[in-house]
Structure formats: C-alpha cells, structure tokens
Amino acid sequence: MADQRISLTINQRDVSVVVEPNETLLQVLRDGLGHMDVKYGCGEGVCGTCTVLFDGEPVNSCLMLGVQASGHTVTTVRGLIDDPEGRALQARFLEEGAAQCGYCTPGIVLTAYHLVRENRRATREDLRAGLAGNLCRCTGYVNILDAIESHLGRSRSHTEASV
Amino acid sequence: MSQLSSSGLDVRTPLDRGTGQVGSSIVHGEFRDKVHGSLLYAADHYGPGMLHGKVVRSPFPSARIISIDTSEARALPGVIAVLVADDVPKNVMGEEASGLGLERIQTPVLAEDRVRYMGEPVALIAAEKPHIAEAAAELVDVDYEPMPGVYDPEDALAGNAPLIHDQGNVLSDWRIARGDVDSAMEDAHHVVEGTYKTQAVDHAYLEPEAGVGWIDVDGVVTLRVATQVIEHATEVAAILGLPHNRVRVASTYMGGAFGGKEDMTVEPFLALLVWETERAVRMVWSRQESLLARPKRHPFVMRYRTAANADGKVLAQDIDIVGDAGAYPYLSPRVLFAAAVTAVGPYRVDHVRIRARAVFTNHVPNSAFRGFGAMQVVFGYESQMDRIASASGLTREEVRLRNFLASGDPLPTGEPVPTVPAVAATMRRALDALKPQSPAENSKLARGRGFACNMQPYGRTVFFGDKASAWIGFEADGTVIVRAGVTDLGGGQAASLAQIAAEVLGVDTSRVIVHIGDTHLTPLTGGTFATRQLYMSGNAVLHTARDLRNQMAPVAARLLGVQTDDLEFAGDAVRTRTGGVELSTAEWVSACGAEEVATAHLGTFHGESGSFDSRTGQGRTFPDYTFGTHAIQIEVDTETGTIKVLDYVACHDVGRAINPLRVEGQIHGGVAQGLGYALSEEILTEDGVSHSALFADYLIPTALDLPDITPIVLEEEPGKGPFGARGIGEPTIAPVAAAVASALEDAVGIRPDRLPFTPERVLEAINSQSR
C-alpha cells in the first residue's frame, strides 16, 4: 500500500500530513506532526498514556491507524489550554499536586476532562471507574481524584468506604 | 572550592530565619510543564533524519551462540548499521558492585559466545525507520544451541547445578554475626520459624527506556537519555575506547524510574550506533522489551528462626536469605547487603547470625528497585514479630514496644543506630488514624486490621565515601541559577533544591532555576538512587548557598551600616533585623559586582566515611535510616479469596518535610506500588521463558484497585539531610506487604508465606486451614 495524505483537525488547527499505511495515530501525532505531549506507554491499549480525544471521545492513539484520523478532530492535552474548562481543570491538578513524574498526566487530564464534561455529578467511585483505563505508577491516584472532585466543586467525597 | 563535611554539623540546623520556602508545598518549575503537557522526556527529542536504534535479543534463556550472520539484515534497504559483539571496542560493562572487593564477573554489552537470559542483547541495528529496524532484527540470523539452564536460586546452589559463570553460581555471600545465637536459642522461651518467599516484579514506570544521541562539537558523543545516573558516561567512554571527556550524558526528566533506570539502559547501545553511523540516533524500547529484558526486583527465599524470652523480648535471630540475581551481577551484591544489614528490622537483637547470598540463575538480571533488599526482609521480620506476639500472648503492638530500637542501640553490624529512631511514635500515629472496624455486610466477608513497621536506609553505604557538588550563582536582576548533576525521577528532586537555595538566599522559589543532570555542564552529585539525593545534594545546595551568602554578606552589611549578624535575607531583599533599611537582592548583587566580590560559588558536600569488615560482618554501613509504620484494614471475600483494601494509613518520621505535598506524594506512590507487590504483581517465568511480557498480563493497580491512602508526615526526630530531613523515596513501599499479611491473619486466621497474595493463594490457604 502506498503512503497517503490525510487532512485532520488537531487542537483546532487544520493540518495535512503524509502517513504510511501501517503507522499508528500515535506515531503520526508524535513523529509526523511533533505533538510530543502525546506519550507512548505500552502500544497495547492497556495503560492509557497515549490517550487523545478523537471527535471528543478518549481513545488510545496507539491502537488506531493514522489513516483512520482522516477528516476527524483530535485534541491533545496542549489543546486544552485554549479551553476554559480544560484550563480550569489543569489549575486544579496543579493545586492538588496531582502529578509526579508527569508522564501519564496528559492522558489522565484528557480522560478527566471527558469525565467531567459527561457527568457533573460523578461520584468519586464513578471517577475511579472512569480512570481505570489510565495507569499511574507514582501517585496512587489520590490527588488526581481530589483534583477532579475539586473541579466539580466539592472536596473529597467519601461515598465508597462504609467503614 | 569549599570542602564541607557532615561531621561536626548540628544535625538539626536551624532554619535560616525561616523565610518560608522550605516546608511549603510550593508548586514549582517542571510541575506546571507536566500538567500542561509541555515537558519533554527522553523520547521526545526527535528530529528529521534521525536513525532508529534497535536491540536484537536472545529468544533463549540459556544457549551457545554458534554463529551470527548479519548479511541479510545489512542488505535490507534503509538499514545503516548492524553491530555484533566483535564491533564493540571494549565489550564489558558494569563495575564491581559491592564496593567491598568482590571478584569481577564480566557483563558483555553484546553477547559473545553464549546467552544467559531470554532478552539478552546480541546485536544492534540502526535504520531509517522504526519498522525497517524491526524487520532487520528479524533478519539477523543467529545459530543458537540451547544449553541446560538454572531457573531457581536454590537449585543453583546444588553441587551438580550447571554453571552460569565459570566462577560459580554464588555471586556474593554476606555474613553478619554478633553475640552467641546458639546459646540464646537454647535458653529461649519461644523459638518461632518461618520461610518467606517473594516474587520478581517490574518497575512498570509509564515511560519505557529511551534516549537520543549524536556527535557534538569537538567529537563529543552526546547522549540525552532517561537515566538515574549520568556518571555512567565514563563507562560508555570505556566501551567506545574514548577519553572520559569525549562522552557527555544528559538526563531528561524521567517518566518514573524507581531504580529501574539506575543501571545503564539504552546508553551503550545508543553510543555504539552513534559512533558507528556518525548520525543522530533515537532508541526507544517497547513496553514488551522493557517487561521482558529489564532488571526486576529480586525474588528472595528467607528462612527465619527467632528466639524470645517469656516476656516477648527477642533474644536472637538466625536468618538465611537467598536472592535470585539472574544472569549477571548488576547491583545484586549491594541489594543483598542492604537486606543483610536490615534483616532484623527496627528492633534490638543482641544475638544475630545473618547470611545473605546473591545467586546466579538464567533469569533476567535483577537489580535496583525502590526498597533495595531492605523491602523484602520486612515481610520476613514483621511476620516473625507477629508470630512472637502469638507465642507469647502479647498484642502485636506490645511485642514491638518491648523490642523497638532505642537511641544508641547497636544494629546487627555492631554500629549504633545513627539517629533517634521514632518508630514507636509512627506506630501510635498510624494505628490511631486507622478507621474503627465495622462489621462486614455478610458472613462470607471477613474484615481485619494489621500493620507493619520498617526501617529503610537513606544514602549510600559509608565505605563508598559519597560526595555531591553544586554551583549556585546570582544573575544581575537577583534571580538565581543552581547547577547540580542530580537526575529527576519525577519525585521533585530538582524542585526541592530550588526551595533550599531560595530559603537560604532569601529569594522566592519562583526566582530560582535549577539545571540538572549533565556530565559536561553541571557539577556531579552522584546519581539519584538509595534515597540519597535530598541527603547529599540537598546538603550540597544548603552549604553552597550558605557559603555564597556569607561571601556576599559583608557588602550588604557595609551598605546598610550594620554587622553581618544583623542581616536578614528574605523576600527578595537583604534588610537589617531591626527593620527599616533594605537592599533588593538585585542591588546587593550589583554592589558585590562593583566591589569584585564573587556572586557565584561551587561547593562539595562529603557524606560520612567509615569502614566495614566483610569477614566479621561488623563495622559502619548506612549513614542513617527512615522509620515508619503502615496500618491497614481489609475485607476478604472468603468465597473468592479477593482482598479489598478499606483503609490505609502510612506514617513516616521524615525529620523535616522540605515540601510536604511532595512527601505525601512519595507516600501515596510507595503504598500504591507496594499494594501491587502485595496483591497482584508477579513476573511469571517458566524455565526462563517470560509469561509476563505484555502489559495486559502484568497487573499494576488501577484507580479502582486502590483506597484513599492517608499519609501522616511526622517531623519527630532530625535526620542527616538538610534542615534535619530524612529520605522518603524508598521507605514508603517497604512495609506494605507485611501490613497486608498481618491484616489477613486478623481477618481469616491465615498467614501465607509467599507473595503476592493473589485470590488463588488466599483461597487455597483458607481452604487448607478449614480442612
């Protein structure tokens, strides 16, 4: 199969790029287009590190081919800076210290952004379930959940453990 | 250059009139970049025309290499270089790891006539595209002849075991002995025995091993890699046959490391390909490669015999530890050394006999991992303390209170515990904070509480004569630059240095920039490992900042018309303590310039020194320890064997928290990683063949698996770090598994002696108990 030129919208900018038929969306975003805020973690769709929003829905960009993105809209974590809600959510992550090494953070922030837009009343347990596809090895998720709950206008809820 | 020594310093140095920079949860520097996605990691430094490096690895755990044919791989269009062992100028890596003069067993960069583990590097490829490099790797034709292997460290000790190295299968054999163990055992009221087994686990940092390299001005081979230890540059130079100053290693901020980026990862391979092709090369290992071929945590087999008198006072410990080193030395001798020194835990025991061996097998080499040998033994010594409690009819708290180390008590090595061990305080605080137990919803669910205490060293063993340097300078506008060769794993190692410099120099932390981790541009500090960085580099920055301030203070004193003792440095200014007159930091710097007083300073901090006699097992070892207690409440489903963590409290005495938010972060993360170790994680192999080379097969905790961990940061007894801080990176992971074991016994009366406590294992133990 021959290389193919595709057009797509990334962080509200229209771009056009030549991709090889077997290149993943992750490879296209990083090495083709320089979006280094999208990170490789496992290539199996397990860790969620490479999460981007694809037409607004979180996907593992390592499991999609670049050619599948033709005509679609992709948002990376850098794109959230232009969005009031995205910026506000990132501010909560800073306040709560919701990152350590920072490598999973772009994927986690994007998933969190999607979760809060889907459900303003998500419980802590809902958020845990929503984040289950994004692995973090440094934080134990505590401050990440606190940051998202803070963004939803409340301090940590204790709905889960009835001890 | 000033020479500073830790001896003779007041351990709890008073805060420099408390400007509030140290002790604050300041969000600084790279943290904002992380949340915004703008921080560049090792794999992100990519440019047009870069080649892609690939390691060809052995598919066999034990085999002879008959021949290697690279002609087809070389012929593939887009392949620029293919290298094998003969192409490596000096095909050896790894220093003598113990520091105590063990026989050198050589680790080849690329395997020569034999492979000793599955995944061992055999050849290297550089190609124009990643998929071309992959295809070329498949075309390297290696003729292997499988050989018998050894896949269990205890089997490796048998007289007829195949030899993994000609020198024998025992890599190191540490012995520590004190008192008269046999007599104490005979006189004892209680003797309890236990054998405890731990598993291999992976660091599973989210950022796999990566780096880029190129040849820079003056022919300097330059590597920008994710590494904990830039000082490996000299080793890379030796491999290439170059003078030391021709290899520069710069570390990027890392996406986690936990000890897994302490040995070299991509460095030698990248350097060889750069040197061969004279082009820029990127090498990124896949997750599957990382799981297959990178060092893991050592599986231990620990046999404990513990004697106590009728009052539950421990009289003697007889301990034998066998650690699986895997196929090459790496840091195994040091890991087993740490295990031996800490094998009795934070308790006074006057009669001890400890043996700790690192034994070769045909497994992937095991090496450094957060906890470093002092973690596995917590499962051993805390299980034994619980058994002593049962035997002597005491509560688990009481038996510990009767045995905790007191100030000045001897360790098994005969040296006194270096600082005041506040372990009892951590136990009380952790247990007090644990939520009260309420009944489970039904009779199939059983709830239980447990806890475990630990001591974890921070700093390298004193016989290495550790040191760290830092350079600090003012800019004309009063902002500050710190240069220090530390590497940042993600724990805020660089940011804490900014806070310390800011505190001493009286500027806001936001006005300090820290440059880290570059062998050619930053003074060397030694790597970020052994929980040594705050202790060593923190002290280096503290003392260098003080010396800089002292050398500049007379200028301010003259201008303000006071003695230097009457100066206060805070709020981006120098002022008199009585108030009123002040100079901005910028004015102060400018005045120093006019008077030709230097506004920059380079200092070196020397850690403690001492010697250890490896024949008697007595002498000086670690500079100090961090003490802690973890308490946990769990619910066990007695029909499925699953364990749910309901509550978790972790308390450590950190002496002084430089940044409380980051300290809590270390506790959260250590507990999370420890719960993975206790409950689910295990690298499974069968005859040396990995069954855990997919992330889908290696289960690290998700947000659904973990409780809200409650950290308690105690500032009880000063340690040896800056402002009395103690290290906190490693201590937080070590007691977790033992705490879970303790709660399991409380909940269902079983005490598995093998990790991890998977549902299958727990169910089997419950069923065998009821039979």
Side-chain angles (χ1 to χ4, degrees), chain B residues 217-408:
Chain B
V217 178
D218 280 340
V220 174
V221 175
T222 305
L223 306 178
R224 183 168 283 164
V225 293
T227 178
Q228 293 176 239
V229 185
I230 56 174
E231 288 82 356
H232 288 312
T234 55
E235 218 178 318
V236 175
I239 289 165
L240 294 180
L242 290 175
H244 286 179
N245 70 353
R246 288 280 303 282
V247 174
R248 171 183 167 203
V249 173
S251 180
T252 51
Y253 281 88
M254 275 165 275
F258 314 114
K261 295 166 185 171
E262 181 171 336
D263 300 290
M264 289 197 289
T265 62
V266 299
E267 295 96 313
F269 310 115
L270 203 48
L272 285 162
L273 291 173
V274 165
W275 190 242
E276 172 70 18
T277 63
E278 298 184 355
R279 288 177 62 176
V281 181
R282 173 164 77 169
M283 182 177 280
V284 181
W285 287 355
S286 70
R287 172 63 55 189
Q288 297 69 36
E289 234 177 329
S290 181
L291 280 169
L292 173 73
R294 284 302 301 160
K296 314 296 175 208
R297 185 187 300 286
H298 293 77
F300 277 8
V301 178
M302 301 175 280
R303 296 178 202 285
Y304 273 78
R305 276 179 76 223
T306 308
N309 70 15
D311 297 331
K313 174 79 188 106
V314 175
L315 303 173
Q317 287 271 28
D318 192 356
I319 301 165
D320 182 272
I321 301 168
V322 175
D324 183 347
Y328 291 101
Y330 285 72
L331 296 169
S332 291
R334 285 189 217 174
V335 170
L336 272 294
F337 186 81
V341 172
T342 58
V344 306
Y347 306 103
R348 177 171 175 150
V349 188
D350 286 337
H351 304 281
V352 286
R353 182 163 57 216
I354 301 164
R355 184 179 195 190
R357 281 169 287 182
V359 178
F360 287 122
T361 64
N362 290 103
H363 287 142
V364 63
N366 294 308
S367 193
F369 191 158
R370 188 184 208 171
F372 205 80
M375 169 168 174
Q376 289 93 327
V377 293
V378 185
F379 180 41
Y381 62 69
E382 286 300 81
S383 296
Q384 290 293 99
M385 292 308 286
D386 286 355
R387 285 185 161 149
I388 293 286
S390 304
S392 55
L394 297 171
T395 65
R396 290 175 289 180
E397 294 94 304
E398 184 56 33
V399 81
R400 284 171 174 80
L401 286 170
R402 292 185 187 187
N403 287 287
F404 279 142
L405 280 171
S407 185

Side-chain angles (χ1 to χ4, degrees), chain B residues 418-433:
Chain B
T419 56
V420 181
V423 57
T426 66
M427 183 174 77
R428 193 181 61 247
R429 291 290 300 273
L431 289 172
D432 285 352

Side-chain angles (χ1 to χ4, degrees), chain A residues 62-77:
Chain A
C62 71
L63 292 185
M64 289 185 71
L65 291 174
V67 291
Q68 290 177 279
S70 185
H72 292 272
T73 296
V74 170
T75 306
T76 75
V77 74

Side-chain angles (χ1 to χ4, degrees), chain A residues 3 20 22-23 27 30-32 34-44 46-49 77-81 86-87 89-106 109 124-143 145-146 149 156-158 160-163, chain B residues 27 30-32 34-41 43-46 52 129-131 202-208 254-256 258 282 284-288 291 369-370 435-436 438 441 447 489-491 633 644 646-647 661-662 665-666 668-670 672-673 676 681 693-698 700-704 706-710:
Chain A
D3 294 356
E20 294 175 29
N22 57 358
E23 274 186 295
Q27 287 172 317
R30 284 177 57 79
D31 292 354
H35 288 280
M36 294 303 183
D37 54 328
V38 189
K39 308 292 186 199
Y40 166 83
C42 72
E44 303 169 26
V46 171
C47 72
T49 304
V77 74
R78 299 289 290 153
L80 292 189
I81 290 167
R87 242 189 348 262
L89 181 63
Q90 284 170 315
R92 300 293 89 76
F93 268 67
L94 285 170
E95 276 169 18
E96 298 290 340
Q100 278 187 42
C101 82
Y103 197 79
C104 72
T105 308
V109 168
R124 199 167 176 92
E125 200 65 3
D126 293 336
L127 297 174
R128 286 187 188 282
L131 283 173
N134 289 81
L135 298 178
C136 171
R137 193 58 156 168
C138 301
T139 67
Y141 309 97
V142 182
N143 293 2
L145 292 162
D146 285 352
E149 285 210 89
R156 187 190 295 185
S157 63
H158 292 281
E160 54 199 311
S162 53
V163 288
Chain B
V27 170
E30 93 296 346
F31 196 80
R32 197 171 303 275
K34 287 170 180 171
V35 171
H36 289 155
S38 56
L39 187 68
L40 293 178
Y41 295 80
D44 301 340
H45 295 274
Y46 180 66
H52 298 265
K129 292 273 184 184
H131 67 86
D202 193 82
H203 308 76
Y205 26 73
L206 270 300
E207 179 206 32
M254 275 165 275
F258 314 114
R282 173 164 77 169
V284 181
W285 287 355
S286 70
R287 172 63 55 189
Q288 297 69 36
L291 280 169
F369 191 158
R370 188 184 208 171
K435 288 175 193 150
S438 59
E441 274 174 32
R447 290 185 173 186
L489 287 58
Q633 187 173 168
K644 185 179 180 194
L646 300 176
D647 192 21
L661 187 72
R662 304 247 193 193
Q666 286 301 309
H668 286 149
Q673 206 166 31
E681 293 178 34
L694 288 175
F695 225 17
D697 295 329
Y698 187 79
I700 74 170
T702 72
L704 277 173
L706 294 173
D708 281 320
I709 298 147
T710 305

